[in-house]
Amino acid sequence: MSRDCRQKWTDFAESMTVEARLRLCEAVMSTTGDFVCLLDPSARFIYANAAFVDRWGLSQVAGKSFFELDYPVDLGRRHEEEVEQVISTKEPLQGVVASASDAGQAHYFEYDVRPLLDNEERVEAVAIIGREITQERELRRRKATQERLLRTLKAAKLVVWEWDTDKEELITYPSAKDTEGAPFSEALDREWSEYAEVHPEDEAELRRKQKRALETGESYRHEYRLRHPEREEWRWLEDVGKAVEDEQGRRLVGVLRDVTASRRTKERLEGVSEESKRCFRMHEAIVSTTPDLAFVFSVDGRLLYANDATLAVSGRTWNEVVGKKLLNYGSDREASQEVDDDISRVVATKKPLRGERVYKGARGARVYEYIMSPVFDEDGEVEAVAGTARDVTEHRRAREKLEKAAEQKNRFLAVLSHELRNPLVPLRLGLHVLKGARSGGEKEERAYQTIERQIDQLTRLVDDLLDLTRISRNKLQLKKEELELNEVVEKSVEDHQALFSGHEVELVFESAEEEIFVDGDVSRIVQAVGNLLQNAVKFTDPGGVTQVWLESKPEDEEVEIHIRDDGVGIDPEEVCKLFRPFEQSDAARKNSSGGLGLGLALVKSVVEMHGGEVRAQSEGPGMGAEFVVRLPAKFGPKRGR
């Protein structure tokens, strides 16, 4: 409305009496299709237009509340709350409600609730203005459904088509030119007479199926080649169609899908099928001749394949077992259930599974070592479980015999160690008695020192034997406490200074800069370090040097104890067997004081019981050797020098 027209309307309205204005408003409200009502601040009706009264079947609304009228209770309560809110905030609000008609059909309404203010900005009335939106809502729903269908067709690269046989006109939905990747978008958006060329070898069958569909009303499916009108390219299409008939007449409808890629893949697979069959025959020949059991199960535990060895163990033929679960043909019930459980575990974890199982078959109870692995499809899902099994019955019996022999050996060593240790006590006591009764002669002194040295050596050997048997039988107990490692190693070095001086070998120790704490058994750590020091002095010539130092590795929360000598060295090929019990290097065997070869084995066991590891390294004979003990550790502040 222009400014002039608006001014003329204002002037006209102001010239009217109040009664005339009300009659004018009533005339306007009675002709609108919107629902209009006025409420006072207590939510009682002041006015309701004809559309509102007729919709709810009301009469004589003035001065009444919603609950005094035949008005839906829930809706009336909602409107009263909205009136209170509008009066409180002086702000309009909107809403949508649903109401069922007498026939049970749902109707939807949208409405505004607005405050009417007087000259002092107080709410003197509240207006509710609404309209029915049922049809609009249904139209929006249909439009949304069509849009979802359109998106689905586009995503699937499908084209729905309709062929009006009377007009010879082809219509596509969605429009083929709007469907990215749809088959022959340029060709489909044109009349049937201009349809792109169907391959001569496919056209007759296509026309025959379409004609039969029109005559019988049956659906058809056909794959054919269509030539691109511009690129001179033949593409394979899958066409599924059906005849329909309604008030618009008889016509064909259907769906087109480009299947060129799948057809080409099929042709390639057919091209390699013979080669695949040849490879399969070769694999079958290999698997059939192996003494190991080979098998494939479906994910639900049905046998899909079994080689000759598997059939022989089961005592069944191929036809008796294929496609069945183990329990279905009288197999060992307990083992069969375990196999089903293993298959389920492999399917669930998608990881191989190894194990050992006793199976009672045609050859009696035998022990089998097996592995079962998942077979994945193109989507990465498990489609089968393949496996092999090997009869390890004889191997297991041999292993049990060896374990029994080892246990007998450990018991013998334990008994021997105790029996050897028993006479050492009186021998050492007798030695002390002789020491008090000596005359002081030189020969007597040398004899005494020889006896004492040999008793000490024998005591160490017996102690090593006892410790080794305790470790092998898991009977060695550690008394762990928090230890400051610099002090422990330094004390061990000091205890061995006399030994090194007697061999004219220099022993040098360098502690770490910071405090280093380990959780360990002090006597066992001293024993391990002592064994390594004794090993170093044993294989170092007079005039040599043995270095001992600690290296901190805070980033790994570990510490390393290094013991390096410049002695006879070690052949690199012998390093790997140094820590085995009773194993000795060539240098140790040539050394008259080589011992039993238990010292380094004990070092390895003690260090590993502390959660660490020990390693040896040497550049070869004559190049010296270095032993490194690595232990878990915590670090404190720097130490004073």
Side-chain angles (χ1 to χ4, degrees):
M1 181 182 293
S2 66
R3 182 178 299 176
D4 292 341
C5 291
R6 189 181 297 112
Q7 185 61 46
K8 289 180 179 179
W9 170 255
T10 301
D11 294 342
F12 171 73
E14 290 178 350
S15 66
M16 299 175 65
T17 63
V18 174
E19 291 78 5
R21 292 182 187 179
L22 289 175
R23 287 195 300 274
L24 177 61
C25 290
E26 172 64 23
V28 173
M29 294 303 174
S30 63
T31 58
T32 180
D34 292 348
F35 311 130
V36 181
C37 69
L38 292 177
L39 304 173
D40 65 19
S42 63
R44 291 184 174 275
F45 279 87
I46 298 174
Y47 168 80
N49 73 342
F52 186 95
V53 171
D54 293 343
R55 172 63 187 83
W56 301 109
L58 307 176
S59 62
Q60 301 298 323
V61 299
K64 296 181 180 179
S65 68
F66 287 104
F67 301 110
E68 294 171 345
L69 299 170
D70 189 15
Y71 197 79
V73 176
D74 292 342
L75 187 55
R77 184 177 296 109
R78 175 174 175 173
H79 285 332
E80 283 198 346
E81 292 173 355
E82 290 169 341
V83 168
E84 290 180 3
Q85 180 179 342
V86 168
I87 292 173
S88 173
T89 63
K90 298 181 182 180
E91 296 290 337
L93 58 81
Q94 293 79 38
V96 176
V97 295
S99 175
S101 65
D102 294 339
Q105 183 179 359
H107 291 263
Y108 295 89
F109 305 88
E110 66 177 11
Y111 61 89
D112 290 346
V113 183
R114 295 180 172 275
L116 302 180
L117 307 179
D118 59 16
N119 294 334
E120 297 180 0
E121 296 296 316
R122 292 176 302 184
V123 178
E124 62 178 352
V126 175
I128 299 179
I129 305 171
R131 65 189 185 92
E132 184 169 356
I133 57 170
T134 305
Q135 291 184 349
E136 294 180 12
R137 187 183 178 95
E138 178 63 19
L139 289 175
R140 287 198 298 269
R141 187 191 65 79
R142 292 181 181 179
K143 183 178 180 181
T145 301
Q146 291 176 349
E147 289 175 349
R148 286 197 298 272
L149 175 61
L150 178 62
R151 289 194 298 269
T152 301
L153 292 173
K154 286 184 176 181
K157 297 182 180 180
L158 298 175
V159 172
V160 177
W161 57 266
E162 179 180 332
W163 179 28
D164 189 325
T165 56
D166 295 331
K167 299 179 180 179
E168 292 288 319
E169 183 179 40
L170 182 68
I171 303 171
T172 62
Y173 177 83
S175 176
K177 64 183 178 182
D178 295 331
T179 307
E180 182 181 357
F184 287 98
S185 58
E186 300 93 336
L188 293 176
D189 276 342
R190 52 183 73 190
E191 292 185 356
W192 182 256
S193 58
E194 300 178 14
Y195 197 38
E197 178 184 357
V198 177
H199 196 284
E201 296 178 3
D202 306 328
E203 185 172 11
E205 182 65 13
L206 173 63
R207 301 293 182 249
R208 185 189 68 79
K209 288 185 176 182
Q210 290 176 337
K211 181 179 179 182
R212 179 173 176 79
L214 286 169
E215 293 173 349
T216 64
E218 297 176 355
S219 60
Y220 73 89
R221 178 187 175 279
H222 188 58
E223 289 186 7
Y224 58 89
R225 285 161 288 182
L226 194 69
R227 182 179 59 82
H228 194 284
E230 297 177 358
R231 295 199 295 267
E232 298 293 329
E233 176 187 4
W234 292 100
R235 304 284 294 182
W236 279 98
L237 302 183
E238 180 186 57
D239 185 6
V240 180
K242 180 180 178 63
V244 296
E245 186 171 7
D246 53 23
E247 65 277 1
Q248 298 178 5
R250 195 170 185 80
R251 61 196 186 283
L252 282 173
V253 297
V255 178
L256 278 177
R257 183 168 67 96
D258 191 326
V259 294
T260 305
S262 60
R263 288 290 299 229
R264 289 175 179 172
T265 300
K266 180 180 178 181
E267 291 170 359
R268 285 196 298 270
L269 290 175
E270 290 175 350
V272 299
S273 61
E274 286 303 319
E275 179 64 19
S276 299
K277 291 178 181 177
R278 188 178 72 84
C279 291
F280 178 79
R281 289 193 298 270
M282 293 173 61
H283 294 158
E284 174 68 16
I286 295 172
V287 174
S288 296
T289 56
T290 180
D292 291 345
L293 280 59
F295 43 82
V296 180
F297 287 98
S298 65
V299 294
D300 63 351
R302 300 182 184 279
L303 191 64
L304 302 179
Y305 171 80
N307 69 344
D308 293 344
T310 305
L311 295 176
V313 168
S314 68
R316 304 284 178 171
T317 65
W318 171 266
N319 291 333
E320 289 176 319
V321 301
V322 69
K324 299 177 182 177
K325 290 191 172 186
L326 296 182
L327 287 172
N328 295 147
Y329 52 84
S331 183
D332 181 350
R333 177 169 295 277
E334 182 178 354
S336 300
Q337 185 58 54
E338 292 175 352
V339 170
D340 279 350
D341 294 342
D342 286 345
I343 292 171
S344 299
R345 194 174 297 112
V346 171
V347 173
T349 63
K350 298 184 178 181
K351 293 181 179 179
L353 180 67
R354 294 177 180 271
E356 195 173 276
R357 175 178 296 119
V358 177
Y359 181 77
K360 299 175 184 178
R363 300 173 182 172
R366 307 288 292 179
V367 182
Y368 292 91
E369 188 177 76
Y370 65 91
I371 179 171
M372 303 178 76
S373 301
V375 179
F376 297 103
D377 60 18
E378 294 179 354
D379 298 324
E381 298 299 324
V382 179
E383 63 178 352
V385 176
T388 58
R390 175 169 295 178
D391 189 334
V392 294
T393 307
E394 301 305 325
H395 173 75
R396 184 173 181 179
R397 290 172 181 169
R399 185 177 65 191
E400 290 173 350
K401 289 181 180 179
L402 289 174
E403 291 174 351
K404 185 177 180 180
E407 177 61 23
Q408 291 174 340
K409 177 201 70 174
N410 289 334
R411 285 199 298 267
F412 168 75
L413 290 176
V415 173
L416 175 63
S417 300
H418 282 287
E419 293 300 321
L420 288 174
R421 190 179 182 86
N422 289 336
L424 284 175
V425 175
L427 279 174
R428 188 173 291 279
L429 181 60
L431 188 63
H432 282 290
V433 173
L434 288 175
K435 183 177 181 180
R438 287 184 298 174
S439 61
E442 182 180 348
K443 289 184 178 180
E444 184 180 352
E445 180 67 23
R446 284 201 302 270
Y448 174 81
Q449 291 177 355
T450 300
I451 294 173
E452 185 177 38
R453 187 168 56 252
Q454 294 305 317
I455 289 177
D456 289 342
Q457 174 70 5
L458 183 58
T459 301
R460 283 196 298 271
L461 293 176
V462 171
D463 288 343
D464 286 351
L465 275 173
L466 280 171
D467 285 342
L468 184 65
T469 54
R470 290 190 189 109
I471 291 172
S472 64
R473 301 171 76 179
N474 295 320
K475 292 186 177 181
L476 184 66
Q477 300 295 324
L478 297 181
K479 298 178 181 179
K480 288 188 175 182
E481 57 182 316
E482 187 176 74
L483 307 172
E484 207 292 304
L485 194 61
N486 288 287
E487 297 176 358
V488 174
V489 176
E490 186 173 15
K491 178 66 169 56
S492 183
V493 169
E494 291 175 355
D495 291 343
H496 287 80
Q497 281 289 1
L499 176 65
F500 277 76
S501 297
H503 285 75
E504 299 181 7
V505 176
E506 183 181 1
L507 179 58
V508 180
F509 172 67
E510 181 180 354
S511 63
E513 294 182 354
E514 62 275 283
E515 293 181 338
I516 302 174
F517 298 97
V518 297
D519 185 24
D521 186 323
V522 62
S523 63
R524 293 303 175 183
I525 293 179
V526 168
Q527 179 186 18
V529 174
N531 282 5
L532 292 174
L533 290 173
Q534 292 167 22
N535 186 76
V537 74
K538 185 188 301 184
F539 299 108
T540 303
D541 295 330
V545 178
T546 295
Q547 298 173 296
V548 182
W549 74 93
L550 274 65
E551 181 180 354
S552 302
K553 294 185 174 296
E555 66 280 3
D556 298 324
E557 295 186 341
E558 292 178 333
V559 62
E560 290 184 346
I561 306 171
H562 294 258
I563 300 176
R564 179 190 296 167
D565 64 64
D566 55 2
V568 298
I570 309 170
D571 189 324
E573 294 182 357
E574 295 185 332
V575 170
C576 60
K577 62 182 182 181
L578 285 178
F579 298 100
R580 300 174 187 168
F582 307 109
E583 290 279 0
Q584 293 181 320
S585 65
D586 289 340
R589 286 190 290 270
K590 294 175 183 177
N591 192 307
S592 60
S593 59
L596 296 177
L598 297 177
L600 294 180
L602 284 172
V603 171
K604 181 176 185 293
S605 298
V606 168
V607 171
E608 289 179 349
M609 290 177 71
H610 283 81
E613 62 179 22
V614 60
R615 67 178 186 274
Q617 52 200 35
S618 175
E619 295 182 5
M623 303 299 292
E626 181 178 351
F627 289 81
V628 182
V629 174
R630 180 184 288 247
L631 294 171
K634 297 179 181 179
F635 301 91
K638 291 187 178 295
R639 305 170 71 241
R641 295 287 182 175

